[in-house]
């Protein structure tokens, strides 16, 4: 059972930056593909970014491409989401997710992930 804990959320002005972190409890976490999702009030949870266990494959939602960067440090059992040029529409609860890696394909569907963190709130003011 993988436990994920997100941190780094907060309130920021438009154009600002935040760095989210996700810490994993599993010692074999390095063999998990990871993803970041977000859910705004009244909306479905949506894919933001994903990274394979090798870190060779990375994918982004079109809405964040060029502004957000996902990375991982397997030695620290952590995955990060650097968010720059934040916009009010980025306001949401951000979730870290994990799935055991049977390939290096980055999954974009929430149904493909088995483990989820509790979420961290990101609020971008205009």
């Amino acid at each position: 059972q993988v436990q994920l804990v997100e941190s780094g959320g907060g309130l920021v002005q438009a154009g600002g930056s935040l760095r989210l972190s996700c810490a994993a409890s599993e010692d074999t976490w390095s063999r998990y593909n990871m993803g970041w999702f977000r859910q705004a009030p009244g909306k479905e949870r949506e894919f933001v970014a994903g990274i394979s266990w090798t870190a060779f494959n990375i994918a982004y939602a079109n809405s964040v491409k060029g502004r957000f960067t996902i990375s991982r440090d397997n030695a620290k059992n952590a995955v990060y989401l650097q968010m720059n040029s934040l916009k009010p529409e980025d306001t949401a609860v951000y979730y870290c997710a994990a799935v055991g890696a049977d390939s290096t394909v980055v999954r974009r569907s929430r149904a493909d992930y088995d483990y989820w963190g509790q979420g961290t709130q990101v609020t971008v003011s205009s």
Side-chain angles (χ1 to χ4, degrees):
Q1 184 79 12
V2 177
Q3 293 184 334
L4 304 172
V5 179
E6 302 97 334
S7 61
L11 173 65
V12 64
Q13 288 188 334
S17 298
L18 282 174
R19 188 192 194 212
L20 305 183
S21 299
C22 174
S25 63
E26 177 60 48
D27 288 342
T28 58
W29 170 84
S30 62
R31 293 300 301 266
Y32 285 79
N33 292 337
M34 303 297 295
W36 284 99
F37 288 74
R38 67 187 181 186
Q39 188 166 15
K43 295 188 176 182
E44 294 289 319
R45 191 171 300 187
E46 64 176 1
F47 173 81
V48 175
I51 187 168
S52 66
W53 69 274
T54 62
F56 289 161
N57 292 333
I58 290 175
Y60 296 98
N62 288 336
S63 59
V64 306
K65 198 173 294 183
R67 299 187 298 123
F68 291 11
T69 302
I70 188 171
S71 62
R72 66 189 295 162
D73 185 339
N74 288 348
K76 296 183 178 180
N77 283 12
V79 65
Y80 308 100
L81 186 68
Q82 177 66 43
M83 306 185 295
N84 298 327
S85 302
L86 283 161
K87 304 174 181 180
E89 50 264 44
D90 294 319
T91 295
V93 177
Y94 283 71
Y95 297 90
C96 176
V99 58
D102 58 356
S103 74
T104 57
V105 174
V106 176
R107 305 294 182 180
R108 294 173 177 261
S109 171
R110 57 180 295 187
D112 290 325
Y113 289 81
D114 296 322
Y115 305 101
W116 294 83
Q118 82 289 349
T120 185
Q121 177 70 46
V122 171
T123 303
V124 184
S125 63
S126 58

